[in-house]
Amino acid sequence: MSNTRRSFLKTAGGLAAAGAAFTGGLAVSQRAAAQAAQAGQTTEHTLPPLPYDYDALEPVISAEIMTLHHDRHHAAYVRGLNAAEAALAEARATGDYALVDHWSRRAAFHGGGHYLHAMFWKVMAPPDNGGGGEPTGELADKITEDFGSFANFKDHFSAAARTVEGSGWGLLHYRPEDDRLIVLQAENQQKLSPWGSTPILGIDVWEHAYYLDYKNDRGAYVEAWWDVVNWPHVAAHLEELRRAAAGETS
Ligand code: MN
C-alpha cells in the first residue's frame, strides 16, 4: 500500500470517527464521501438512440419488435450493466468482495448485451435505403479471400445463426493477429467468444428478436434479415480496424 493511500485511509478513518461524534447524518455523509473515493471511477452507460425509425426495417422486422427490443430489452441491459458496475465499485470501496463473482457475471452478461445491441442497430438499414444486397470493395474482396465466396460466407453465417443453442448471436469478427474474418456463435451475449477479435456484423437470434414476426421459424428470420444488412457500415468498420491493425493513422 502506498504512503498516500495509507495516510488517506487514516484520514478517512479519523473523519468517520469524528463524524460519529456529531449527528448521525453528518457521519453518514462523511463515510459516503470516503467510500466514494475508494470506489474509483465508474461509467454511466447510456442507451444509444436507434439510427432510424422503429418501422424502418419493415417488413423484415416489425415496429412492434423494434420498439420492445430497443426500448425494453436493450435499455434493461444498459441498466443491468450500470447496476453491476456500481455493485463492483461498492465492493471495492467497502472491501466486501463476497459478491464479486456474482456481479462480475452480471457485468459480463449485461455488458455483452449492451455492446452487441449497440452494434446490431448500426449493422442494419432500411431495405429500401442502404440495406441488403451484397458487399462491395475491400469487404467483398476480404470475404472472398477468407470464405471462398460471398455465397459460402452467407451459408456459413446463416447456419451459425440458425443453430445457436438457445439464446444467442451469429457473428462475423475481424481478427487482426492474422488479418482474418471469422464466423462464430455467441450463447447469451458473452459465451463462446474468442479473445482478440472484434464483431463487425451480428444477428440477434434470441426469441425476443423475431418471435412476434416469425414465431418459431428462426430460419425464415435469418433468411429475411439479409435484406436489412447495412454493408457500407460493415465495410467502413472493417476498413477502420484493418488500418488500426496496420499501425496507420487515419
Ligand atoms: Mn436482443
Side-chain angles (χ1 to χ4, degrees):
M1 188 188 286
S2 71
N3 283 336
T4 314
R5 183 167 151 85
R6 193 176 295 121
S7 66
F8 170 79
L9 285 178
K10 199 176 160 193
T11 309
L15 281 174
F22 296 109
T23 68
L26 191 57
V28 166
S29 72
Q30 284 172 343
R31 202 157 50 235
Q35 279 187 9
Q38 290 300 299
Q41 250 186 93
T42 52
T43 300
E44 186 67 23
H45 302 277
T46 56
L47 179 66
L50 274 185
Y52 32 70
D53 292 335
Y54 292 110
D55 63 359
L57 304 183
E58 288 186 346
V60 176
I61 304 176
S62 66
E64 187 181 13
I65 283 188
M66 290 302 290
T67 304
L68 289 167
H69 202 172
H70 177 268
D71 295 6
R72 304 287 179 82
H73 291 278
H74 189 173
Y77 297 131
V78 172
R79 277 198 309 276
L81 177 59
N82 283 328
E85 290 189 345
L88 288 168
E90 193 184 331
R92 190 156 65 240
T94 58
D96 176 6
Y97 291 119
L99 288 174
V100 160
D101 177 55
H102 170 76
W103 287 113
S104 296
R105 287 168 190 274
R106 301 320 290 160
F109 174 78
H110 289 289
H114 175 38
Y115 182 90
L116 288 176
H117 284 88
M119 174 194 69
F120 188 50
W121 314 132
K122 288 192 282 193
V123 300
M124 297 189 292
D128 57 355
N129 188 16
E134 292 193 10
T136 56
E138 181 185 322
L139 175 59
D141 294 345
K142 197 77 191 92
I143 285 174
T144 302
E145 193 180 314
D146 293 343
F147 298 97
S149 69
F150 178 69
N152 283 352
F153 156 74
K154 202 173 156 182
D155 288 346
H156 184 167
F157 185 99
S158 292
R162 270 198 315 273
T163 59
V164 170
E165 190 173 347
S167 299
W169 295 72
L171 295 162
L172 174 68
H173 279 212
Y174 174 67
R175 187 170 61 193
E177 185 198 354
D178 54 353
D179 186 38
R180 272 196 71 102
L181 296 171
I182 52 175
V183 164
L184 57 123
Q185 301 173 319
E187 287 177 1
N188 289 353
Q189 332 262 27
Q190 80 281 25
K191 298 174 185 170
L192 307 182
S193 307
W195 301 113
S197 61
T198 303
I200 60 172
L201 178 68
I203 177 172
D204 187 342
V205 293
W206 282 59
E207 286 185 347
H208 67 227
Y210 64 87
Y211 211 88
L212 288 173
D213 291 348
Y214 298 88
K215 300 296 184 287
N216 61 329
D217 196 349
R218 188 193 281 182
Y221 159 63
V222 171
E223 193 52 41
W225 178 78
W226 292 106
D227 287 340
V228 293
V229 172
N230 185 345
W231 290 115
H233 175 84
V234 178
H237 192 187
L238 176 65
E239 209 181 308
E240 182 189 312
L241 291 171
R242 291 185 89 193
R243 206 167 45 225
E248 293 172 20
T249 51
S250 52

